[in-house]
Amino acid sequence: MNRFALTFACILSLGICPAAAQTVNWYKGNTHTHTINSDGDSTPADVVRWYRENRYNFLFITDHEHVTNVASLNNVYGKAGAFLVIAGQEVTDSYDRKPFHLNGLGISKVVMPNKLPGAVETLQKNIDDVLKAGGIAQINHPNFGWALTADQLIKLNRYTLLEIHNGHPLVNNMGGGGVPSAEAMWDSVLSSGKLVFAIADDDSHFFKRIGDPTAPTPGKGWIFVRAAELTPEAVIESMKKGDFYASTGVELSDYKADGRLMTVTIKEERSSKYRIQFIGKNGQVLAESTTNPAVYTFKGNEAYVRAKIYESNGKMAWTQPVMLTRP
C-alpha cells in the first residue's frame, strides 16, 4: 500500500492500519476477567496462569470495585513479547433496578460507582471518571438485565468500546422479545454517527467449573490487537484507534482498508468453510463473499462499512468499522 493510500485508510477508519515501515504483530487478549477479589472462584495467579497456558498474549483483570496490582503477576508470569497482565476494573452501578456495568481498562485506582438519578446520567459520570483515572471505557453487556437501549447508548459520549459478545451465559447477547441484539445496538450507535469499537470477551468468573455450560468460564471470546510491541501502552493505544478485531474463534491473517477497498484475509482451518458479510448503516448487508481474501469496494454512501465473518461450526469474527461519513 502506498503512503497516500495508507494515510487515507487511517483517516477513514481512525486507525485500522499500521504506520508505514513499522513491524506490527497480532496479540490475543481478554478484556473482562474476575478473580476472588470480587466474585470469581480463583486467585489472580490461577486466573493469569490459565490465560497464559492457553496462549493468550494479554489479560485485563477487571474485578468489581477492585484494581489488582499487576506488577507481581507480571514478575512471575509476564514474558516480554509473549504475555502481559494489565490492570482494570468493572465499575458496578445501577438505576431503577437495572445494572450498568462499565470496564475501566488501564486504570491504576478504583473508580467508585456514582448512583445518580437517571440511566444515562449514571453511566456517563462513570465513563468520565474512568477517563479521569487514565483508562478507556468499555460498556459491558447492554442486554444484561435488559439494562440499556440503543437510544441510551447513542446519548452517551466518550466511551471507546462496546461488548457485542460476552461469554457469560446470562447476558442476552442475542436480544429477544422485541429487544435487539448487542450487535444490532452497535449498528444503531454507528448509524447515528458515533464511532465505537466492538469487543468480544469472556466475563470469566469460574475457572473450577470449566466444561459447565451454565457457568461464566474462560475461552468464550477475545480480541486480536495489532501493535508494534506488547506493552500496556501499545495495546491500549491500538484499542483506542480501533486497530483490533473481535472473535469467538475465527482468526484473520490481515484486514485493511485503503481509499477504495476493504480487504479481509482469513487464516483458514482445513475443515472449515467461511462466509463474509460486509455490513453498513442500520445493519444492512451490503455484500457477501465466500472468497478468501474477501474484498469490498467502497461506494461512498454507506456511512460505514464493517465485516462479519462466519465459520461453518459457529465461530465468528467482527472487524471494526470504516467510517465513510465522519462523526
Side-chain angles (χ1 to χ4, degrees):
M1 186 185 301
N2 62 42
R3 181 182 296 273
F4 172 80
L6 180 69
T7 301
F8 189 52
C10 289
I11 289 172
L12 285 174
S13 65
L14 299 189
I16 71 165
C17 42
Q22 184 181 46
T23 301
V24 294
N25 304 287
W26 289 107
Y27 297 112
K28 179 181 178 180
N30 182 48
T31 66
H32 196 163
T33 320
H34 295 281
T35 76
I36 58 171
N37 287 329
S38 61
D39 53 349
D41 71 352
S42 298
T43 66
D46 286 341
V47 168
V48 167
R49 190 181 302 113
W50 188 93
Y51 281 97
R52 174 171 166 154
E53 290 176 354
N54 283 274
R55 299 184 178 180
Y56 286 67
N57 301 115
F58 65 90
L59 175 68
F60 287 90
I61 296 180
T62 55
D63 280 307
H64 300 276
E65 282 64 73
H66 182 92
V67 175
T68 297
N69 184 341
V70 299
S72 59
L73 294 169
N74 279 317
N75 286 339
V76 176
Y77 301 104
K79 183 178 180 182
F83 186 77
L84 173 70
V85 189
I86 310 175
Q89 176 204 341
E90 185 167 21
V91 185
T92 318
D93 220 329
S94 63
Y95 173 74
D96 193 27
R97 299 184 179 179
K98 294 184 182 296
F100 303 131
H101 293 188
L102 175 78
N103 277 358
L105 303 178
I107 62 177
S108 58
K109 62 180 181 180
V110 171
V111 172
M112 292 304 295
N114 289 283
K115 300 192 181 299
L116 299 177
V120 172
E121 293 81 0
T122 295
L123 199 46
Q124 187 63 64
K125 183 62 165 64
N126 290 332
I127 290 169
D128 292 341
D129 287 351
V130 162
L131 299 183
K132 288 177 184 177
I136 59 174
Q138 170 182 309
I139 294 179
N140 294 337
H141 41 58
N143 276 336
F144 176 52
W146 310 110
L148 287 165
T149 66
D151 287 343
Q152 289 169 328
L153 291 171
I154 290 168
K155 290 176 182 176
L156 291 165
N157 296 303
R158 296 180 290 282
Y159 65 101
T160 303
L161 311 169
L162 175 66
E163 278 185 354
I164 66 165
H165 179 89
N166 175 301
H168 197 294
L170 299 174
V171 298
N172 306 305
N173 287 320
M174 302 305 295
V179 177
S181 67
E183 183 178 356
M185 290 185 186
W186 181 40
D187 276 312
S188 294
V189 173
L190 296 175
S191 298
S192 78
K194 288 182 180 291
L195 179 59
V196 173
F197 302 123
I199 288 286
D201 59 28
D202 281 340
D203 197 357
S204 51
H205 289 69
F206 299 145
F207 292 77
K208 297 177 181 178
R209 291 171 58 183
I210 291 175
D212 180 352
T214 68
T217 52
K220 305 286 184 60
W222 51 85
I223 60 174
F224 281 98
V225 168
R226 179 162 42 191
E229 58 182 350
L230 186 62
T231 64
E233 296 78 13
V235 168
I236 289 171
E237 185 60 28
S238 289
M239 292 174 67
K240 286 180 180 178
K241 295 188 300 184
D243 203 356
F244 67 96
Y245 66 93
S247 178
T248 63
V250 172
E251 189 170 350
L252 304 182
S253 299
D254 195 19
Y255 82 97
K256 58 189 176 183
D258 61 21
R260 298 183 305 109
L261 306 173
M262 174 183 283
T263 305
V264 177
T265 307
I266 303 166
K267 188 179 290 186
E268 294 191 22
E269 297 180 19
R270 183 173 298 177
S271 61
S272 298
K273 292 185 180 295
Y274 299 85
R275 176 167 55 97
I276 302 92
Q277 290 182 340
F278 294 96
I279 296 169
K281 189 173 183 178
N282 298 321
Q284 178 185 1
V285 177
L286 305 169
E288 190 164 292
S289 174
T290 56
T291 64
N292 187 27
V295 180
Y296 179 83
T297 302
F298 298 124
K299 297 176 178 62
N301 62 353
E302 300 97 330
Y304 65 89
V305 179
R306 64 180 182 87
K308 182 176 182 180
I309 302 92
Y310 297 84
E311 184 265 349
S312 50
N313 293 296
K315 300 172 185 175
M316 294 185 186
W318 300 262
T319 74
Q320 307 307 335
V322 171
M323 302 298 286
L324 299 173
T325 302
R326 289 294 300 275

